[in-house]
């Protein structure tokens, strides 16, 4: 799976596993018809006795670490639940948490499930790309956990192109809904884009902590051109002394730059960012972006219209602002003010 010498190798290895499993499944289907009579005479291919979640966890961990991980790497099962009659396993592979599945008798392991509806929708979106209405196909999602004042926690890496994409999409939503929601920008517990990302994470964390009303103005400027961070601070009217003091203290408290320099607490080949690690662990955040609404992990389109609909679905009683017409054009990934064809919510850094 992962924790190899580089993320490219990690993802390549996991993809190889998926391909092998897929081939095995296909071969199994091809040969099943010829073996069906023989299978009827034996119970070898019939479901066995359901094993406990503890035993399922151990069985899955042993199998993954013995046969799917490279030597010296180790995966752990963070959580196990039941879904679609299978055990659903949250597999921690250092820089990601991957959902895998296993039959309840512990006999069959599935590295990943493909959601038929999502794949179909993504295919339709790809086919529509290039048309003027392509972005409108990006879906919203429905939040099942309702509240009077929804809590929105958006986990990003400040230089992740897909994190910046959803930030550009959500800023008009924040302006529209204002104090009717509780929005919190948070950061993943590791950084994939070097020292500049650690520095920017600290800066944005402290702007939100010390002068929260000015964060959105700063972000709007920064997301348009990341090279203008200093100018963006001035444009947002941010007290630099206050923010710099916060950055210094936060860096010292969590040893962000010290750990970066000493290569302590790295996740795979990436430096850690422990400022909000507890929240990352709480929600099993695997990468950027991760959108949590009322404690629920949500996959939504990244255009403003979809995000508004998604967030508004979390209200017990949606306010009038939820009827506001916002752009359905998907922001382009990365920095800048452009738009792109609808991309759904699949792409991310570290996912």
């Amino acid at each position: 799976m992962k924790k190899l010498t580089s993320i490219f190798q990690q993802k390549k290895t996991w993809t190889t596993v998926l391909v092998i499993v897929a081939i095995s499944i296909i071969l199994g289907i091809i040969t099943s018809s010829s073996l069906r009579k023989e299978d009827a005479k034996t119970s070898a291919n019939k479901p066995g006795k359901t094993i406990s979640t503890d035993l399922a966890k151990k069985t899955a961990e042993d199998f993954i670490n013995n046969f799917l991980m490279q030597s010296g790497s180790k995966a752990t099962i963070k959580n196990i639940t039941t879904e679609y009659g299978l055990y659903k396993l949250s597999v921690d592979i250092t820089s990601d948490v991957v959902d895998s599945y296993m039959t309840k008798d512990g006999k069959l392991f599935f590295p990943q499930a493909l959601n038929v509806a999502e794949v179909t929708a993504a295919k339709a979106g790809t086919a529509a790309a290039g048309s003027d209405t392509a972005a409108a196909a990006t879906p919203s999602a429905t939040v099942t956990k309702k509240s009077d004042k929804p809590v929105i926690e958006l986990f990003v890496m400040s230089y992740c192109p897909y994190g910046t994409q959803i930030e550009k999409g959500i800023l008009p939503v924040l302006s529209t809904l204002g104090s009717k929601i509780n929005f919190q920008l948070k950061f993943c517990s590791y950084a994939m884009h070097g020292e500049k990302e650690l520095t920017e994470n600290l800066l944005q964390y402290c702007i939100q902590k010390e002068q929260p009303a000015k964060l959105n103005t700063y972000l709007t400027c920064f997301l348009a051109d990341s090279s203008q961070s200093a100018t963006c601070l001035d444009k947002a009217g941010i007290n630099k002394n206050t923010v710099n003091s916060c950055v210094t203290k936060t860096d010292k408290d969590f040893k962000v730059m010290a750990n970066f320099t000493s290569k302590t607490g790295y996740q795979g080949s990436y430096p850690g960012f422990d400022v909000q690690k507890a929240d990352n662990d709480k929600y099993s955040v695997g990468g950027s972006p991760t959108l949590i609404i009322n404690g629920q992990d949500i996959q939504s389109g990244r255009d403003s219209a979809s995000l508004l609909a998604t967030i508004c679905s979390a209200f017990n009683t949606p306010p009038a602002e939820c009827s506001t017409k916002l752009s359905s054009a998907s922001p382009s990934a990365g920095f800048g003010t452009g738009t792109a064809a609808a991309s759904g919510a699949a792409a991310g850094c570290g996912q």
Side-chain angles (χ1 to χ4, degrees):
M1 287 166 60
K2 290 198 173 181
K3 200 176 181 183
L4 310 181
T5 55
S6 70
I7 284 297
F8 175 79
Q9 290 174 313
Q10 292 168 352
K11 290 187 175 180
K12 182 178 180 181
T13 299
W14 186 245
T15 302
T16 301
V17 171
L18 295 178
V19 171
I20 292 172
V21 172
I23 293 173
S24 299
I25 293 172
I26 294 170
L27 290 175
I29 294 173
I30 294 174
T31 58
S32 63
S33 59
S34 63
L35 296 176
R36 192 170 292 119
K37 291 184 179 180
E38 287 77 2
D39 289 345
K41 300 176 182 179
T42 175
S43 62
N45 292 332
K46 294 181 180 179
K49 182 179 180 181
T50 297
I51 60 177
S52 67
T53 54
D54 287 341
L55 181 55
K57 178 180 178 180
K58 183 179 186 305
T59 301
E61 282 187 349
D62 289 346
F63 175 73
I64 294 170
N65 288 316
N66 288 335
F67 298 101
L68 303 184
M69 298 290 286
Q70 283 195 352
S71 178
S73 301
K74 184 177 181 181
T76 58
I77 307 299
K78 297 190 66 174
N79 189 41
I80 181 168
T81 57
T82 296
E83 187 175 277
Y84 298 110
L86 301 169
Y87 280 135
K88 180 180 180 181
L89 312 165
S90 295
V91 186
D92 186 347
I93 47 180
T94 304
S95 61
D96 275 345
V97 176
V98 178
D99 287 336
S100 299
Y101 294 82
M102 187 169 65
T103 54
K104 287 193 170 183
D105 58 6
K107 291 183 177 181
L108 299 178
F109 176 77
F110 309 94
Q112 187 174 1
L114 297 179
N115 186 300
V116 175
E118 290 181 1
V119 173
T120 302
K123 179 67 175 179
T126 300
S131 70
D132 293 337
T133 59
T138 307
S140 60
T142 300
V143 181
T144 59
K145 296 181 179 179
K146 314 292 184 179
S147 66
D148 292 334
K149 186 174 183 177
V151 177
I152 292 85
E153 300 166 84
L154 177 60
F155 291 81
V156 299
M157 300 172 192
S158 57
Y159 276 84
C160 169
Y162 306 108
T164 59
Q165 180 185 39
I166 195 172
E167 285 180 283
K168 287 185 283 185
I170 206 169
L171 282 171
V173 178
L174 303 182
S175 177
T176 299
L177 295 177
S179 62
K180 288 182 169 58
I181 60 173
N182 179 356
F183 174 75
Q184 302 166 22
L185 180 66
K186 297 187 176 182
F187 298 95
C188 297
S189 60
Y190 65 104
M192 295 180 66
H193 307 89
E195 183 177 1
K196 67 179 181 180
E197 186 161 75
L198 296 174
T199 301
E200 185 64 31
N201 285 2
L202 284 168
L203 177 63
Q204 293 183 21
Y205 169 82
C206 283
I207 293 174
Q208 180 171 242
K209 181 179 180 181
E210 300 295 335
Q211 300 175 62
K214 299 178 179 181
L215 176 64
N216 292 353
T217 301
Y218 171 82
L219 286 177
T220 300
C221 177
F222 175 75
L223 293 170
D225 185 354
S226 62
S227 70
Q228 299 299 311
S229 177
T231 300
C232 293
L233 289 171
D234 292 332
K235 185 174 182 179
I238 291 169
N239 186 317
K240 296 180 183 178
N241 290 333
T242 300
V243 170
N244 288 340
S245 295
C246 170
V247 168
T248 299
K249 183 179 185 305
T250 305
D251 181 25
K252 181 179 179 181
D253 289 345
F254 293 94
K255 301 180 179 178
V256 176
M257 301 311 298
N259 287 342
F260 169 73
T261 301
S262 65
K263 296 188 179 299
T264 301
Y266 272 44
Q267 295 192 31
S269 59
Y270 299 121
F273 187 79
D274 292 343
V275 177
Q276 291 159 324
K277 188 175 188 305
D279 291 332
N280 278 255
D281 292 342
K282 177 181 178 181
Y283 298 119
S284 298
V285 174
S288 168
T290 296
L291 179 63
I292 306 293
I293 302 179
N294 288 344
Q296 184 178 353
D297 192 338
I298 298 297
Q299 299 294 320
S300 171
R302 295 171 185 170
D303 61 284
S304 297
S306 293
L307 285 164
L308 178 65
T310 296
I311 292 172
C312 282
S313 74
F315 282 97
N316 285 322
T317 303
E321 288 82 354
C322 287
S323 299
T324 303
K325 297 292 185 181
L326 296 181
S327 174
S328 61
S330 181
S332 59
F335 296 98
T337 58
T339 59
S343 59
C349 298
Q351 294 180 326

